[in-house]
Amino acid sequence: MAENQESTLPQSPPRPKQEDPDPPTPRSGPPPRSTTAAAPVHRSTVRSLLRLWPYARVIRWRLAASIGAALVAMLSVLVVPLVLGRIVDGPIARHDLPALWPLAGVLLLLGLVEAGLFYTRRVVLAGPLAGLETAMRGDLYAKLQRLPVSFHDRWASGQLLSRATSDMFTMRLFLAFPLVFLIVNSVMFAAGTAVMFVLDRRLALITLLPALPLIVLTRHFESGYSLAARRAQDQTGDLATVIEESVLGIRILKAFGRHRTMAERFRNQTHELRETELHKAGLLANLWAVIVGLPELALGCALGVGAYLVAQDELTTGTLVAFLSTALALRWPVESLGWLLAYANEAATATDRYFEVLDEPEDGGAPAPAATLTATATATATADEGIRLTGVRFRYPDAPDDTPDLLCGIDLHVRRGETMALVGATGSGKTTLTALLPRLYEATGGTITLDGQDIREIPRARLRELVSVAFEEPTLFSASVGENVLMGAPDASPEQLRRALDTAQAEFVQRLPAGSETQVGEQGLSLSGGQRQRLALARAVVGDPAFLVLDDPLSALDVHTEALVEQALREVLGSTTALVVAHRPSTVLLADRVAVLADGRIVAVGTHQELLQSCAVYRELMSGEAAPVLEGSPAR
């Protein structure tokens, strides 16, 4: 009577409403990128599965109808033994053939009813469950977009991918089949037990003797299987990460001849997953052996005792046939118990993994104290325009407690309409500092204002319209050139797109097969590094942003193209407030002033010529050679 997996139909129930306020500050204590390294915490299976109710309640009437149809179908099976008993004690015992046909018709009708109800159960539930899975997957994806960059720094992409695919399928299938039949089989077992007691109490007690050891065994099985199921699902996520990294990094693997090393790593992880799956199979096999063996032994005893009672005329043959047929009808509810419990545990761990992501605090920060905001507002009323950082501190959430802050008291003012170059040694925190402006990371101390307004008071969507960013490592998506550039301003006109491409000296776009409609492929790897960087620069300037953050935007360009881009950029920088991370003098010369970052602080601010004369750190950074500090000219 077991059913196959549910088919899916394109039908989506409404998803639970989720508020989207400014979320709390991201917590520290991140999970490891490979979650298999840590033993999962065993939680109540029922408590975990109850977290699906906000989604399942949307289809609760369909779910109830499915359970009802399956329940009536299964209970109709219990009528069959009673009819068989009537046939044996009636038409067969009396050799009355005409009386047999009506009872045979009843059996045929019961079979048709059972088949029709199981068909109805599938039709009623399959579509809404597919829609529920779609809604849950959509919520997970939306959550991933809202989570801070620090979350994605900690979590392996394969772990997130497995939660959005295999775990989602596991939860949907649980609602479609195991949940329904855990309820239906329990009711059927109770009803069948009542029928057996009505037929003969002595045989019923013999048949139910294995019940107590089965209860103890299943409790022990549930504890061990849930841990193994969680480990297997985490290992599947790790395996997905290895595959993804191998595909995205195939050029590196081939170039350095490391494909065999990655293949060995893949084999090791598949071996670990195989061992875990075999352990799961062993647990289930042990349970299944007992679940099948003990009831069969009890049924054999009941058959022997029943035959003796028939021989002693204490029981009719029809009653014994009806009893044994009822006991056999209960084999499926009993034997399926192991599989249903196993799948319930896998669904519970899948639910835990799903809500581990949904429970993560979203990107945001706690409101600044009233006194700080008041002081900021006062400063705004006088002269605070442009970008101002006051006492800004930052440390990564997973940084060891005994390490100093990466940024420890940044004070910097970029005047409105000014271009400020930010220079510093590798690892000094330049990129991190620029990521604080659009709140990709949250400052752990101090305030940042844009034209006098604290960035924590600006709605995040609005803040990221005001602040446009071009990262040092340009990332493109599997879309057209135009779609990639217009991510910086979805409402930009074709003229703005053309002007942005001209600014970035991306004339190569016109030579592509379909111009700006050309698909660039995954990660934009069909383009050169310089081409990707120019498209990333065009994406940053296409919307004419009020504030522009450029993280070493010209590092992948040749000298000739760099000069052309710099010339075009000067016009753009003249109409915006910009902070530009620079490593080369040519980029520095784009700026009105330069800020030097060292030891987590701004140690000097001035023009290029001023800093060459007064700041030894700056001279060293620009020349690549250590320069002595001139007496009387300390770093500012």
Side-chain angles (χ1 to χ4, degrees):
M1 300 179 185
E3 295 187 68
N4 295 327
Q5 297 174 357
E6 301 295 319
S7 61
T8 58
L9 299 175
Q11 178 178 351
S12 299
R15 66 188 64 188
K17 292 182 179 180
Q18 292 189 352
E19 302 296 329
D20 192 16
D22 279 344
T25 306
R27 67 186 177 197
S28 58
R33 288 181 64 84
S34 176
T35 53
T36 57
V41 179
H42 177 60
R43 296 180 58 185
S44 166
T45 300
V46 175
R47 187 166 66 249
S48 296
L49 292 174
L50 282 176
R51 299 203 67 184
L52 293 175
W53 176 244
Y55 291 96
R57 70 186 301 273
V58 179
I59 61 168
R60 60 188 180 277
W61 299 118
R62 293 291 192 101
L63 192 59
S66 175
I67 293 173
L71 185 58
V72 174
M74 295 294 281
L75 290 178
S76 68
V77 176
L78 294 179
V79 181
V80 174
L82 301 179
V83 176
L84 288 175
R86 290 286 300 274
I87 290 175
V88 172
D89 286 343
I92 292 179
R94 296 192 304 267
H95 303 285
D96 185 2
L97 185 60
L100 177 62
W101 299 118
L103 295 174
V106 171
L107 292 178
L108 177 61
L109 179 63
L110 289 173
L112 293 175
V113 168
E114 180 185 0
L117 288 172
F118 274 129
Y119 172 80
T120 301
R121 189 192 84 79
R122 285 178 172 271
V123 171
V124 164
L125 196 57
L129 276 177
L132 181 146
E133 182 182 15
T134 300
M136 293 183 68
R137 185 174 286 116
D139 287 346
L140 180 65
Y141 184 81
K143 178 73 176 187
L144 291 175
Q145 304 308 303
R146 297 194 300 269
L147 284 169
V149 175
S150 57
F151 169 86
H152 294 279
D153 289 343
R154 303 191 315 261
W155 282 69
S157 55
Q159 289 291 341
L160 300 176
L161 181 63
S162 66
R163 283 161 168 79
T165 52
S166 59
D167 286 351
M168 207 70 64
F169 174 78
T170 299
M171 289 185 282
R172 178 178 68 82
L173 190 58
F174 169 76
L175 294 173
F177 188 85
L179 173 63
V180 171
F181 282 94
L182 278 171
I183 297 173
V184 170
N185 289 359
S186 299
V187 174
M188 184 179 179
F189 183 80
T193 300
V195 170
M196 288 193 298
F197 269 96
V198 169
L199 292 172
D200 191 277
R201 184 177 304 173
R202 295 162 297 183
L203 297 181
L205 289 173
I206 294 174
T207 305
L208 294 177
L209 280 177
L212 183 59
L214 284 178
I215 292 174
V216 174
L217 179 64
T218 53
R219 290 294 298 173
H220 175 72
F221 164 82
E222 181 183 5
S223 176
Y225 194 87
S226 62
L227 296 175
R230 175 58 193 254
R231 186 163 58 250
Q233 287 167 320
D234 286 343
Q235 288 172 341
T236 300
D238 290 341
L239 201 59
T241 300
V242 173
I243 296 172
E244 182 191 32
E245 291 177 345
S246 299
V247 172
L248 294 180
I250 189 63
R251 289 171 172 80
I252 301 299
L253 295 179
K254 287 182 174 293
F256 289 93
R258 306 303 294 175
H259 54 281
R260 291 186 179 84
T261 301
M262 188 60 74
E264 181 65 24
R265 179 183 171 191
F266 179 80
R267 281 194 295 271
N268 291 338
Q269 292 200 348
T270 54
H271 179 74
E272 291 176 1
L273 179 57
R274 172 181 176 274
E275 293 300 316
T276 303
E277 291 293 346
L278 288 176
H279 176 59
K280 285 171 54 183
L283 291 173
L284 188 56
N286 291 335
L287 178 67
W288 198 282
V290 177
I291 284 179
V292 173
L294 286 181
E296 292 289 348
L297 182 62
L299 186 60
C301 294
L303 175 60
V305 173
Y308 173 79
L309 294 175
V310 170
Q312 298 297 317
D313 293 328
E314 296 183 24
L315 192 68
T316 66
T317 302
T319 301
L320 178 60
V321 170
F323 182 91
L324 293 176
S325 298
T326 302
L328 289 173
L330 296 182
R331 287 180 62 182
W332 158 246
V334 174
E335 291 179 1
S336 66
L337 179 64
W339 181 82
L340 293 175
L341 287 177
Y343 208 95
N345 275 279
E346 291 191 9
T349 57
T351 303
D352 287 341
R353 282 163 50 86
Y354 175 80
F355 281 101
E356 279 175 358
V357 178
L358 260 63
D359 290 343
E360 280 284 330
E362 293 179 6
D363 195 0
T372 302
L373 293 179
T374 302
T376 302
T378 302
T380 301
T382 56
D384 197 359
E385 292 185 342
I387 303 171
R388 184 179 290 276
L389 294 86
T390 306
V392 171
R393 307 179 68 86
F394 178 80
R395 66 184 293 112
Y396 286 98
D398 55 350
D401 294 336
D402 57 349
T403 58
D405 290 349
L406 178 60
L407 304 176
C408 45
I410 296 292
D411 293 311
L412 182 64
H413 181 203
V414 184
R415 304 184 187 104
R416 189 172 189 178
E418 179 182 41
T419 298
M420 175 77 74
L422 181 65
V423 301
T426 301
S428 60
K430 303 183 298 299
T431 297
T432 300
L433 189 151
T434 58
L436 299 180
L437 297 182
R439 293 178 67 189
L440 299 180
Y441 292 103
E442 293 292 337
T444 51
T447 58
I448 303 174
T449 61
L450 300 179
D451 284 343
Q453 187 173 8
D454 194 308
I455 62 173
R456 291 171 294 185
E457 297 178 324
I458 304 174
R460 188 169 292 102
R462 175 57 180 161
L463 175 65
R464 290 169 184 173
E465 290 176 358
L466 293 172
V467 181
S468 187
V469 183
F471 298 100
E472 182 177 8
E473 297 180 1
T475 298
L476 301 181
F477 296 87
S478 298
S480 69
V481 169
E483 289 171 327
N484 271 283
V485 173
L486 291 177
M487 284 182 179
D491 299 327
S493 66
E495 175 60 25
Q496 287 177 297
L497 172 61
R498 185 195 60 77
R499 191 166 61 248
L501 292 173
D502 289 345
T503 299
Q505 298 299 304
E507 73 288 341
F508 68 89
V509 172
Q510 303 305 319
R511 298 193 297 270
L512 295 175
S516 62
E517 297 300 317
T518 303
Q519 298 290 317
V520 298
E522 188 176 25
Q523 298 289 314
L525 294 180
S526 58
L527 303 176
S528 70
Q531 289 173 330
R532 293 197 301 273
Q533 192 168 61
R534 278 179 277 173
L535 291 182
L537 180 59
R539 180 167 55 199
V541 303
V542 68
D544 300 320
F547 301 92
L548 186 60
V549 177
L550 304 178
D551 188 356
D552 200 13
L554 312 178
S555 60
L557 304 185
D558 61 79
V559 176
H560 176 70
T561 304
E562 179 184 4
L564 294 175
V565 173
E566 287 174 353
Q567 183 178 353
L569 262 181
R570 292 184 189 279
E571 182 178 347
V572 174
L573 295 175
S575 59
T576 187
T577 304
L579 184 61
V580 182
V581 174
H583 293 97
R584 295 182 290 185
S586 58
T587 308
V588 169
L589 294 176
L590 289 171
D592 301 300
R593 291 190 299 157
V594 183
V596 182
L597 179 63
D599 299 324
R601 300 178 184 277
I602 299 297
V603 298
V605 177
T607 66
H608 174 63
Q609 294 299 329
E610 289 172 348
L611 294 179
L612 284 177
Q613 296 179 8
S614 63
C615 181
V617 175
Y618 184 71
R619 288 196 302 274
E620 180 180 349
L621 290 170
M622 289 297 99
S623 66
E625 299 177 358
V629 178
L630 300 178
E631 187 176 353
S633 59
R636 291 184 291 146

